[in-house]
Amino acid sequence: MAAALVLVFVPSATLIWVASALIVVFLGLNLRQFSIGTWVPVILSLAVLVVALPRGLPVELYLEACGRMIFLAALMAVLNTLRTAAARAPEVARAGQFLVGQPASRRYVALTMGGHLFGVLINFGGLALLLDLAMRSLKARTDDSLPPELQEVRLRRMTLAIMRGFGLISLWSPLGFAANVVLITLPGLSYAQFGPLGFAVSFVFVAIGWGFDRMAGRRYRQLGLPAPHPPARSWVGAAMLVGHVAALGGSVVLLHEVTTLSFQQALIVLVPAYAIGWTLWSARSGPNGIRVNVRAALQEAWERQSRTAGEVGIFAAAGFLPVVLLALLPMDALQGAVAGLGLGPVALAIGTSLAIIVGALLGVNPIVVASVTGAVALELNVPGLSQLAIALGIIGGWTTVIGLSPFMTTLVFCSGIVERPAWLIGPVWNSAYSLTIFAVWSAMLITLMLTGAV
């Protein structure tokens, strides 16, 4: 993390090599944290490196690959500091109580928006927090005398609302993985070109999800079930959470606009500072004083870092793999093959989405597939295939598969908390919604490309 911050302002080949070695040591010490989703991209990276070394590729290429590896791995670690700060903030817990305590008529929209905001700030920590609160609320309402069927329906609706809201951060969030992978893979693209569009479409997807939820609950609306009530003044926590998202996101955009820093550089500079400030502010109201609370927060952040080794490994591979792989691929032959198959820009943009979906269903994280396919699509130089079209293809596939593939970390998290199999939550419960939003996004992308807007 320190090396990535220094490299923002001071280019140094020596520092890149040192930081790369530190990443390898960190991952080696935490192999027990690896899942199949981590092993696949890490092994692919090692295989590509073994093939590349005898080819005599220039040192500058490896420096570029390692630089991207450092930046993406550090970005994962930096966002984790924000997660630690948010998890200790009292307003986050109050916001969760407010969202989970909404009556059924407002619950879906509340939980979806909550999953969205919690995901922006705390990522998987927010997903886990909201799902845990939902499970507690369900178990606490034993006096309802609900039949098992209705209890299962309520669990499914609350789980899907939170998970779908979380998945929408891929459409636009400047703190999300999808936006940052897109911006690093497609260096000629700016956040302003796709972020506002994704933000606008997220409301369309909320409406689609609400429609599915209303259909799921239509049989039970006439039963006159007692409505829950959120704790008094818990809405203040929800309002403060919105304020945090707006303040941090606005600060990153402002720093990017008024300085020469790229969007990702502004992000990696500001997030740790915001996390420290938020922690200090929260510590003021703690029962043990600022010093004790800050020390506890630092200890928690330190211990949490080793538990993110799986995600850091995925991000590191996503930075390293595309740069070296592109140098090995016969781009002239690929261009000829694309031309021979008659694949136009629209087919390639939609194909990028499908590659991410298929890869995730096979256990390959979208971070890796998006990095590789995005870089390859860019190098093909197909007329009419803009960087924005590639980006929208990536984002559409990524958002679709977050709540669909049982190999995705999102579904693994949900499965462990709600005590239901990942294949049930994703392919069974959520497939209709996922396929619907993919169809809507694809139709929008095709229309924009055919009309020349993208």
Side-chain angles (χ1 to χ4, degrees), residues 258-283:
V258 302
T259 68
T260 59
L261 297 180
S262 69
F263 193 87
Q264 296 81 21
Q265 290 172 334
L267 184 66
I268 210 168
V269 168
L270 278 180
V271 166
Y274 195 93
I276 292 170
W278 196 0
T279 300
L280 290 172
W281 179 262
S282 300

Side-chain angles (χ1 to χ4, degrees), residues 264-354:
Q264 296 81 21
Q265 290 172 334
L267 184 66
I268 210 168
V269 168
L270 278 180
V271 166
Y274 195 93
I276 292 170
W278 196 0
T279 300
L280 290 172
W281 179 262
S282 300
R284 293 169 64 253
S285 58
N288 301 316
I290 293 180
R291 181 175 298 180
V292 174
N293 288 325
V294 169
R295 185 182 297 122
L298 291 173
Q299 182 68 23
E300 181 181 340
W302 179 262
E303 293 173 353
R304 188 190 294 271
Q305 287 295 355
S306 66
R307 297 196 294 271
T308 66
E311 289 78 14
V312 171
I314 294 171
F315 267 64
F320 180 86
L321 185 60
V323 177
V324 181
L325 184 62
L326 278 179
L328 298 176
L329 291 176
M331 296 309 301
D332 291 339
L334 281 177
Q335 288 174 335
V338 169
L341 292 172
L343 297 178
V346 172
L348 289 173
I350 300 300
T352 301
S353 293
L354 291 173

